[in-house]
Every structure is written in structure tokens, then in C-alpha cells.
Amino acid sequence: NSSSGTKTNTPKEETTPPKTEEKQTTPLTGRAMNGDVINMVDLGLPSGTKWADRNIGALTPANDGQYFAWGELYTKSEYTKDTYEFYTYRIGYTNIGSSIAGTKYDAATFNWGEGYTIPTYSQINELMNTSYTTWTKTSQRNTNGKDRKGYIVRSKKNGKSIFLPFAGEIDEHGKRNEDSYGFYWSSTLESFDNSSKEYAWLLFMDGGYGKIQTWNIMTVNGPVHGSSREDGRSIRPVCK
């Protein structure tokens, strides 16, 4: 009886892995919690990261979408230190963690649902790695009837691609730099010379010079600028 009991238990154990995999799988298509169309693209990257084909709040891949301050979950009309949830006058920036991916501060998780996150510094660098992808400057027509400039990022492994528009930004000067620059938040706090916790890493695309780089206050061979957390930037969700 004990041996037969062992035999009957074995099939039950074998059915466990598929159930576990189902629970860990994030839908690659469908509708997000905020109503966005979800279409996650497998670019054949070593990490298995899938990239969304559009920004949060974008009707199409060529639309700009919405802008978020780092760690905030909602859009707003002004993006300044005074309106930033995690800045206090004379005290400074609140430390909400070195990585906010999948946390209560992740706008991708909040707006799209569990499993969708703001990409990490490592995931952005993987996307930028020319061993895995090619970057070609082009333009695509959006629903506003404009040909929005940006980059087609194409997988060298399977030929699939995503479009990253130069959606610009919203900062203390208002909305600007559309068709010229793309600023895409990472979920990773910038750690180099950042005792104030003011800066976070992002993907920076310069339409004029064709630069594609992670951007922080002291980027080597790049512009000396800071990606301050209160600025409104684009978010391109990822999932595994």
C-alpha cells in the first residue's frame, strides 16, 4: 500500500511546475488596468525581458503617452520640486529605495498591473547592447497626424522590434523637446555622487547627435546633466 501511495503521489508532483509557471507568467497582450493596450515584445534578450510596444498612456507606439516623476503614480500639470511628492523644502529628497521596480512607487505596476515594471538600469543597458539590438533613427505617424521621430530597436536574434519616440519631457519649463530627445525612466536610483538622492538613471536618446546612453549627473563622454526625480519622463514598461 505504501508503494502504491508513492505512485499516486508522483503524478500530483509532476503537475505542480506548470501551475507555478502559469502564476509567474505576465500576459503579453491584453488591456492594462488603466485601459492601455498591452503588447509586450520578445526581443530575444538574454534576460528574457519583454518590452512594451508603447509608453504608458500612449494610444499607439508613435504617441508620446504620459509623463511621470520618479516614484509617482499619477500624471500632473506641473513637474517641479514644489509639486514632487518626495521632496520637502529645506529637507531635500525622500529616499524611497535604490530600486522601485515592482514596488508601491512603480507607475508601470500601478497603471498596468502586477508583473509590469519600470525597467531597471541593467535591463536598459541590455536593450542598448549592440550585440543584441540595432538602433535606427526613423519616424512613425501618430494619432495626432504627426510623424514622430524616434528609434526602431530591432532584435538581432529574431528580427522583432519596438519604436521609442522622442517624446520629450515635462519639467519646470513645461513640455518641451518632442522630436528632439527621448527620456525614459529606469527604476534604479543613480548611485554615483548622489548623496542627495536627487538623481535616477534613465535612457537618454539625443535625436540630433544619435546618442543613446544611460544618463546621470556625471555621465562619462556625455552631457553633464542630472536626471532629477521631479521631472516628468516617459515610462516604457517591461515584464519577464
Side-chain angles (χ1 to χ4, degrees):
N1 290 337
S2 59
S3 60
S4 62
T6 304
K7 290 179 180 178
T8 55
N9 286 339
T10 302
K12 292 181 180 180
E13 292 175 359
E14 289 174 350
T15 59
T16 302
K19 291 181 180 179
T20 303
E21 289 174 1
E22 288 175 8
K23 290 180 180 178
Q24 294 176 347
T25 300
T26 303
L28 301 183
T29 60
R31 285 279 180 177
M33 291 176 62
N34 69 348
D36 286 351
V37 171
I38 292 176
N39 184 28
M40 308 302 293
V41 181
D42 184 356
L43 298 171
L45 299 170
S47 70
T49 300
K50 282 81 174 176
W51 284 77
D53 76 338
R54 68 197 66 200
N55 297 340
I56 293 180
L59 292 175
T60 72
N63 283 73
D64 295 337
Q66 297 172 320
Y67 302 83
F68 297 85
W70 198 78
E72 292 188 347
L73 306 177
Y74 301 94
T75 59
K76 53 192 179 183
S77 58
E78 294 184 3
Y79 291 81
T80 65
K81 286 183 178 179
D82 291 337
T83 66
Y84 186 46
E85 182 178 351
F86 305 109
Y87 179 83
T88 305
Y89 179 63
R90 291 185 177 177
I91 295 178
Y93 291 85
T94 302
N95 184 3
I96 59 174
S98 59
S99 177
I100 59 172
T103 70
K104 63 181 180 180
Y105 305 111
D106 189 325
T109 306
F110 180 80
N111 285 279
W112 279 26
E114 186 177 353
Y116 305 101
T117 62
I118 302 172
T120 63
Y121 173 88
S122 296
Q123 287 172 319
I124 287 178
N125 270 286
E126 181 184 54
L127 184 72
M128 293 166 55
N129 191 321
T130 54
S131 296
Y132 311 134
T133 58
T134 60
W135 291 64
T136 307
K137 195 183 300 182
T138 184
S139 63
Q140 289 190 6
R141 180 67 58 93
N142 61 28
T143 57
N144 299 319
K146 298 192 66 175
D147 290 324
R148 176 62 79 225
K149 295 176 183 177
Y151 276 101
I152 285 282
V153 184
R154 190 174 303 279
S155 167
K156 287 186 172 181
K157 184 175 182 179
N158 60 26
K160 294 181 180 179
S161 65
I162 59 173
F163 179 69
L164 294 172
F166 297 142
E169 62 184 325
I170 305 178
D171 59 12
E172 59 186 356
H173 304 291
K175 186 176 181 180
R176 57 185 185 144
N177 292 322
E178 304 101 306
D179 264 352
S180 298
Y181 301 103
F183 305 89
Y184 289 82
W185 277 129
S186 84
S187 57
T188 308
L189 191 71
E190 191 266 297
S191 57
F192 177 69
D193 191 25
N194 192 21
S195 58
S196 67
K197 308 299 182 185
E198 178 179 354
Y199 305 104
W201 289 102
L202 53 71
L203 168 62
F204 170 60
M205 305 186 306
D206 186 331
Y209 295 95
K211 293 180 181 177
I212 308 161
Q213 60 197 38
T214 46
W215 194 31
N216 74 336
I217 189 173
M218 293 292 286
T219 300
V220 178
N221 298 324
V224 182
H225 291 287
S227 37
S228 298
R229 289 161 48 188
E230 70 269 15
D231 292 340
R233 315 289 197 185
S234 303
I235 292 177
R236 180 60 65 95
V238 296
C239 74
K240 285 292 190 74

